[in-house]
């Protein structure tokens, strides 16, 4: 900064006031030697960096900057520039606190020269812009976060003056210090002022005068603070602000200032009481910040309403419900007293009101159909252009326009609903206040209209899908009945001749076997065995087909008891086998007990069958305790299978072993899969040839209701 002007020394009679302002100002001031060492700083500067003042005096100014191009390298560039006699204004750089955390600052440095022209020191003003940088970064990245209010910065009063050896030298040092402070305040960007106990201005810098619309600070000296605020704001200050100051506390907050020309603006003040009953004032014009806050608030509210529209669309049941929900929420974004959605049919030249939202009654309610000629600006909508009528009396008075006038509508806007260059409808917004909608309101209305168009198209497609699904379900039901009829016919028609073949074969084998040679007896035995296998196959197929249509009778199932029951049955069926069953405690489940028993019987019977060559055969039933739903595992040490063919295990008639080695119909595991799926679970198998197999299946929790 330039050397102290004569006006500074002229004001020396009130130096204690400037000392108090310097000490309490929420602005960091530094005095730096020509060599770059800190000579003096105010309390706010020390607090900003987290140091005691005496800890920084005598230190290099570069020591409070972090390494790097934005810190120490930038500070060195500034130092070199001011050493050449040049001032630096608002250099943006980083500084580092005693804690190691970094902050962004604006650095303003002015060289102060002696009478002989040599540089005596550098006067520096440091402004913390960390919050501003973070706010700018937030606005640049998502534009949806709200701008944080500039936090009031308070400075703790602290007296750390060094003990001077002589009273004369102390006064001289204080006077020089106060002159530097006054010069710094005069050059400050923030408005600063000092007030007497009666509220009159004793000092004001140029920034303070400019903020309130005055050309010269001298115009304020001697005037009351009241000239800067209207009557309402004066009353607020007296009722809310003065009591805080009277308690000796600092006050910070937003007020509405009054400029010299009578205009008002938002201002942020920090007021600090003085010992003599006066106060210091730091002020900042926050008009731009308030405008950004309002824009962010509007943008945030717009996103919230659009989100609400999305939620309403998702919850809607029909196109009319979707349109009604969108119109209701559009009223929160665009000032209108009436809105409607109409679908247009170019073939019949008619339009049908799909939804309407307004406070009062209307003849044009949902479901009403009117000729297209009643829609004054349908042709404009055909070209995907919205149309605004500022005065409804200026257009042709169709029945629709006349109806709007009777409802009190003075102006309206029509927006097209187009899908793939085809106009499918229009949105009308009416207002009782003459005039036009703002550009922003037009954009919002069109955005909601486009969103509604897509939603209506999706709803139409969904209705088509639902109709197609209903037709498919009807066809499936018809085919199911035909299949049940066919299954009954097969079971009845096949069983009769099969019983005859089986019965007569047994009679022939028992009564006339002595008339047959060995080969004849063997062939007759094959016939009997094949008839029995075919009967079992018919039973299994009938059981599989009935699973899909059988009504489930769900209830709690004690799996431990059910497994014990099945194991007892298998032990009785294979008395000559050496089978070792082991069963861990199993979780209870919920389902159709007979179906689950059938699945368990098939799986355990399968394990018994494929362990016929093992002595002993080991079959273990366990559960997966870490699973979210009851999960059961049946393991055996039998023949196993090749995992390459695992996808065929649960198919009907799919067998991975020869009939001569292991008997079976190839339907048992298909029944298991059908039972598990009907309970909402899944089944899978693992195994290796010669190393056994493991089957895992899930069932519902005991408190759940199976599908």
């Amino acid at each position: 900064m330039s050397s102290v002007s004569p006006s500074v020394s002229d004001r020396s009679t009130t130096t204690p006031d400037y000392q108090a302002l310097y000490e309490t100002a929420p602005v960091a001031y530094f005095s730096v030697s020509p060599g770059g060492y800190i000579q003096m700083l105010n309390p706010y500067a020390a607090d900003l960096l987290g140091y005691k003042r005496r800890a920084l005096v005598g230190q290099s100014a570069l020591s409070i900057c972090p390494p790097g191009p934005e810190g120490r390298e930038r500070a060195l560039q500034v130092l070199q520039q001011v050493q050449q006699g040049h001032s630096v204004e608002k250099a943006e750089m980083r500084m580092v606190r005693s804690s190691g955390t970094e902050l962004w600052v604006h650095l303003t440095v002015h060289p102060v020269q002696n009478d002989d022209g040599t540089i005596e020191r550098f006067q520096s003003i440091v402004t913390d812009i960390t919050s501003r940088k973070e706010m700018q970064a937030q606005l640049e990245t998502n534009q949806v976060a709200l701008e944080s209010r500039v936090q009031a910065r308070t400075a703790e009063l602290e007296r750390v003056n060094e003990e001077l050896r002589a009273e004369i030298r102390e006064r001289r040092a204080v006077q020089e210090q106060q002159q530097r402070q006054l010069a710094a305040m005069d050059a400050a960007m923030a408005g600063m002022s000092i007030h007497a106990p009666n509220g009159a201005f004793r000092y004001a810098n140029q920034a303070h005068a400019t903020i309130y619309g005055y050309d010269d600070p001298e115009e304020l000296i001697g005037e009351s603070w009241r000239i800067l605020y209207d009557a309402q704001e004066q009353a607020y200050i007296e009722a809310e602000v003065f009591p805080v100051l009277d308690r000796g506390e600092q006050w910070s907050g937003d007020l509405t200032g009054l400029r010299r020309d009578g205009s008002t603006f938002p201002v942020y003040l920090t007021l600090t009481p003085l010992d003599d009953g006066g106060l210091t004032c730091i002020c900042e014009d926050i008009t731009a910040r308030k405008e950004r806050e309002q824009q962010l608030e509007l943008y945030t509210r717009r996103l919230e309403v659009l989100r609400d529209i999305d939620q309403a669309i998702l919850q809607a049941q029909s196109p009319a419900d979707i349109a009604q929900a969108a119109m209701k929420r559009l009223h929160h974004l665009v000032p209108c007293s009436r809105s409607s959605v109409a679908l247009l049919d170019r073939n019949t030249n008619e339009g049908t009101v799909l939804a309407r939202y307004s406070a009062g009654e209307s003849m044009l309610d949902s479901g009403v159909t009117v000729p297209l000629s009643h829609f004054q600006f349908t042709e404009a909508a055909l070209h995907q252009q919205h149309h605004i009528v500022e005065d409804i009396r200026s257009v042709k008075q169709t029945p629709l326009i006349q109806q709007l006038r009777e409802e009190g509508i003075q102006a309206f806007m029509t927006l097209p609903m187009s899908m793939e260059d085809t106009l499918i409808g229009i949105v009308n917004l009416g207002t009782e206040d003459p005039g036009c909608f703002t550009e922003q309101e037009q954009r919002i209305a069109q955005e909601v209209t486009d969103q509604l168009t897509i939603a209506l198209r999706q709803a139409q497609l969904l209705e088509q899908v639902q109709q197609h699904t209903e037709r498919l379900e009807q066809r499936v039901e018809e085919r199911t009945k035909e299949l049940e009829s066919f299954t009954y016919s097969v079971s009845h028609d096949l069983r009769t001749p099969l019983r005859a073949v089986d019965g007569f074969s047994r009679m022939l084998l028992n009564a006339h076997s002595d008339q047959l040679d060995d080969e004849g007896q063997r062939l007759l035995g094959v016939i009997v065995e094949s008839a029995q296998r075919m009967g079992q196959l018919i039973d299994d197929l009938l059981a599989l087909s009935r699973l899909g249509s059988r009504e489930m009778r769900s209830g709690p199932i004690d799996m431990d008891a059910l497994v014990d029951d099945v194991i007892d049955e298998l032990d009785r069926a294979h008395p000559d086998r050496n089978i070792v069953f082991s069963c861990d405690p199993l979780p209870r489940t919920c389902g159709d007990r007979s179906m689950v028993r059938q699945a368990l019987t098939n799986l355990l019977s399968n394990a018994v069958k494929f362990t016929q060559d093992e002595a002993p055969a080991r079959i273990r039933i366990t559960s997966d305790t870490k699973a979210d739903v009851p999960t059961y595992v049946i393991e055996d040490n039998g023949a196993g299978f090749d995992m390459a063919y695992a996808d065929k295990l649960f198919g009907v008639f799919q067998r991975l072993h020869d009939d001569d080695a292991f008997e079976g119909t190839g339907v048992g595991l298909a029944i298991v899969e059908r039972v598990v799926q009907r309970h909402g679970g899944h089944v899978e198998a693992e195994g290796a040839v010669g190393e056994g197999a493991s089957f895992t299946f899930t069932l519902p929790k005991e408190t759940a209701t199976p599908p």
Side-chain angles (χ1 to χ4, degrees):
M1 61 187 300
S2 60
S3 59
V4 180
S5 64
S7 61
V8 174
S9 58
D10 291 342
R11 301 172 193 165
S12 60
T13 56
T14 56
T15 53
D17 294 337
Y18 305 119
Q19 170 66 20
L21 180 59
Y22 183 83
E23 292 292 323
T24 61
V27 178
Y29 298 107
F30 290 86
S31 179
V32 180
S33 70
Y37 293 91
I38 299 173
Q39 294 178 327
M40 186 186 70
L41 68 159
N42 69 343
Y44 185 84
D47 290 344
L48 181 65
L49 298 178
Y51 290 95
K52 295 294 184 180
R53 289 169 71 172
R54 61 169 57 93
L56 288 178
V57 174
Q59 298 295 320
S60 171
L62 300 180
S63 65
I64 59 176
C65 300
E70 297 172 341
R72 198 163 297 165
E73 294 179 14
R74 179 59 175 148
L76 184 58
Q77 293 173 0
V78 172
L79 180 59
Q80 292 172 349
Q81 185 174 349
V82 296
Q83 285 176 341
Q84 297 174 5
H86 304 294
S87 297
V88 174
E89 299 287 343
K90 287 188 176 181
E92 189 173 290
M93 58 180 293
R94 290 180 182 269
M95 288 188 173
V96 62
R97 299 185 176 94
S98 62
S99 63
T101 60
E102 296 183 5
L103 67 159
W104 281 96
V105 301
H106 271 161
L107 177 62
T108 298
V109 184
H110 296 286
V112 179
Q113 299 177 351
N114 292 319
D115 294 338
D116 59 0
T118 61
I119 296 177
E120 174 186 353
R121 64 184 180 277
F122 303 120
Q123 191 68 38
S124 304
I125 301 175
V126 176
T127 303
D128 183 0
I129 63 169
T130 303
S131 298
R132 188 187 311 170
K133 292 286 289 186
E134 292 174 351
M135 180 174 60
Q136 290 173 348
Q138 182 180 9
L139 289 174
E140 291 171 358
T141 53
N142 54 31
Q143 297 184 2
V144 294
L146 298 176
E147 182 184 56
S148 300
R149 169 172 291 186
V150 177
Q151 298 297 324
R153 296 187 293 269
T154 60
E156 180 182 359
L157 297 174
E158 179 182 13
R159 296 182 180 181
V160 289
N161 294 331
E162 297 180 354
E163 293 184 0
L164 302 179
R165 296 179 180 178
E167 183 177 353
I168 296 176
R169 291 184 58 187
E170 178 181 359
R171 290 179 180 178
R172 183 182 300 115
V174 171
Q175 183 178 15
E176 291 176 355
Q177 178 180 345
Q178 291 170 346
Q179 289 174 346
R180 289 193 294 268
Q181 293 169 353
L182 181 60
M185 289 184 291
D186 282 340
M189 298 290 294
M192 298 182 179
S193 62
I194 302 173
H195 297 262
N198 64 357
F201 279 89
R202 293 196 298 203
Y203 165 79
N205 67 353
Q206 183 60 52
H208 195 291
T210 301
I211 288 174
Y212 286 89
Y214 292 84
D215 298 328
D216 192 332
E218 294 299 329
E219 298 180 74
L220 296 175
I221 304 303
E223 297 288 346
S224 171
W225 62 270
R226 297 178 182 276
I227 66 172
L228 305 183
Y229 306 95
D230 61 20
Q232 181 177 356
E233 204 70 354
Q234 292 176 25
Y236 172 80
I237 294 172
E238 291 174 343
E240 302 294 336
V241 179
F242 282 178
V244 177
L245 299 175
D246 291 341
R247 293 195 299 268
E249 300 174 5
Q250 188 180 71
W251 182 90
S252 297
D254 294 350
L255 292 174
T256 301
L258 179 66
R259 293 191 181 94
R260 186 176 189 176
D261 61 6
S263 62
T264 58
F265 67 101
V267 61
Y268 184 79
L269 265 63
T270 298
L271 304 176
T272 304
L274 298 175
D275 293 338
D276 65 354
L279 60 85
T280 64
C281 172
I282 311 295
C283 64
E284 178 187 0
D285 185 347
I286 57 173
T287 302
R289 192 189 78 189
K290 286 291 187 180
E291 291 176 351
R292 290 194 299 270
E293 289 178 352
Q294 292 175 358
Q295 292 175 356
L296 281 174
E297 182 180 359
L298 177 60
Y299 186 72
T300 301
R301 192 160 62 92
R302 173 182 176 186
L303 292 181
E304 290 175 349
V305 173
L306 291 176
R307 180 199 60 194
D308 292 343
I309 292 175
D310 286 336
Q311 293 298 323
I313 288 174
L314 291 175
Q315 298 171 4
Q317 299 295 323
S318 66
D321 293 335
I322 293 174
Q324 186 72 14
M327 290 302 99
K328 180 177 180 180
R329 285 159 177 80
L330 182 58
H331 282 236
H332 295 289
L333 289 173
V334 179
C336 56
S337 55
R338 180 192 184 281
S339 62
S340 63
V341 179
L343 298 182
L344 308 181
D345 189 339
R346 301 294 293 178
N347 295 325
T348 62
N349 285 325
E350 290 181 332
T352 301
V353 179
L354 183 63
R356 180 188 67 85
Y357 185 79
S358 64
E361 299 293 331
S362 175
M363 181 186 75
L364 299 174
D365 211 340
S366 301
V368 174
T369 299
V370 297
L372 287 185
S373 58
H374 288 192
F375 296 96
Q376 179 77 18
F377 300 104
T378 300
E379 294 302 324
L382 282 172
H383 296 88
Q384 301 184 8
Q385 299 174 354
H386 66 268
H387 191 92
I388 297 177
V389 175
E390 299 182 10
D391 187 348
I392 197 171
R393 295 173 299 179
S394 64
V395 299
K396 181 180 178 181
Q397 300 301 297
T398 66
L400 176 59
I401 299 299
Q402 186 62 36
Q403 178 64 30
L404 293 177
R405 289 188 61 183
E406 293 177 1
E407 294 177 11
I409 300 302
Q410 300 296 321
F412 65 88
M413 174 169 52
T414 299
L415 303 107
M417 298 173 58
S418 299
M419 180 65 66
E420 298 178 353
D421 297 330
T422 300
L423 182 69
I424 64 173
I426 55 175
V427 172
N428 282 299
L429 305 178
T431 175
E432 297 176 355
D433 299 324
C436 61
F437 298 90
T438 66
E439 292 185 3
Q440 185 177 29
E441 292 166 352
Q442 296 173 34
R443 289 194 301 270
I444 294 174
Q446 188 62 62
E447 182 177 354
V448 173
T449 299
D450 294 340
Q451 186 180 17
L452 174 61
T453 303
I454 296 173
L456 291 179
R457 181 57 177 164
Q458 291 175 340
Q460 292 173 348
L461 293 176
L462 179 60
E463 286 186 345
Q464 295 176 5
V465 170
Q466 290 174 341
Q467 293 174 359
H468 184 64
T469 301
E470 291 175 357
R471 291 195 297 269
L472 288 178
E473 290 177 350
Q474 183 178 0
R475 293 179 60 186
V476 169
E477 183 178 357
E478 294 173 353
R479 294 295 186 269
T480 301
K481 292 181 179 179
E482 294 176 359
L483 181 60
E484 291 177 351
S485 176
F486 173 74
T487 301
Y488 176 80
S489 176
V490 167
S491 65
H492 181 271
D493 295 344
L494 288 182
R495 284 181 183 276
T496 300
L498 186 61
R499 281 195 294 267
V501 172
D502 181 57
F504 284 113
S505 297
R506 289 178 182 275
M507 291 173 59
L508 182 61
L509 186 62
N510 294 331
H512 305 285
S513 60
D514 56 346
Q515 299 180 19
L516 300 173
D517 57 14
D518 293 341
E519 179 63 16
Q521 291 182 15
R522 186 187 70 79
L523 294 175
L524 191 57
V526 171
I527 293 174
V528 173
E529 182 180 350
S530 298
Q532 292 176 345
R533 287 184 59 195
M534 187 172 181
Q536 183 61 47
L537 178 59
I538 291 173
D539 290 341
D540 289 346
L541 287 175
L542 286 173
L544 180 63
S545 66
R546 289 169 179 168
L547 280 176
S549 58
R550 173 181 167 181
E551 181 180 356
M552 293 180 60
R553 298 179 179 178
S554 298
I557 301 176
D558 184 344
M559 290 295 287
D560 290 326
L562 187 59
V563 169
D564 290 342
D565 187 22
V566 175
I567 290 176
D568 289 342
E569 181 179 311
L570 291 174
D571 281 337
R572 291 194 300 270
H574 302 85
D576 300 331
R577 289 281 305 277
N578 182 10
I579 305 175
V580 179
F581 289 98
S582 62
C583 183
D584 294 346
L586 302 176
R588 295 172 64 89
T589 185
C590 179
D592 188 304
R593 192 176 189 280
S594 64
M595 285 189 181
V596 175
R597 190 182 194 284
Q598 179 66 53
L600 279 173
T601 300
N602 288 6
L603 287 172
L604 291 174
S605 297
N606 205 58
V608 169
K609 177 171 62 176
F610 287 101
T611 57
Q612 64 186 22
D613 296 331
E614 303 297 328
R618 299 186 182 278
I619 301 173
R620 185 183 178 195
I621 303 96
T622 62
S623 65
D624 185 352
T625 57
K626 297 181 180 180
D628 295 334
V629 296
T631 303
Y632 309 93
V633 183
I634 298 178
E635 302 173 317
D636 64 62
N637 64 338
F641 62 90
D642 189 344
M643 284 295 292
Y645 304 102
D647 58 333
K648 297 182 178 181
L649 273 179
F650 299 99
V652 181
F653 304 134
Q654 297 292 333
R655 292 174 51 82
L656 304 186
H657 302 85
D658 295 336
D659 292 347
D660 295 338
F662 301 98
E663 63 180 8
T665 62
V667 181
L669 290 181
I671 292 176
V672 171
E673 183 180 51
R674 187 69 60 84
V675 169
V676 172
Q677 288 179 346
R678 286 213 62 186
H679 284 77
H682 69 277
V683 60
E684 57 186 26
E686 294 183 3
V689 177
E691 298 181 9
S694 172
F695 288 82
T696 303
F697 64 97
T698 62
L699 292 173
K701 293 181 180 180
E702 184 177 9
T703 56
T705 301

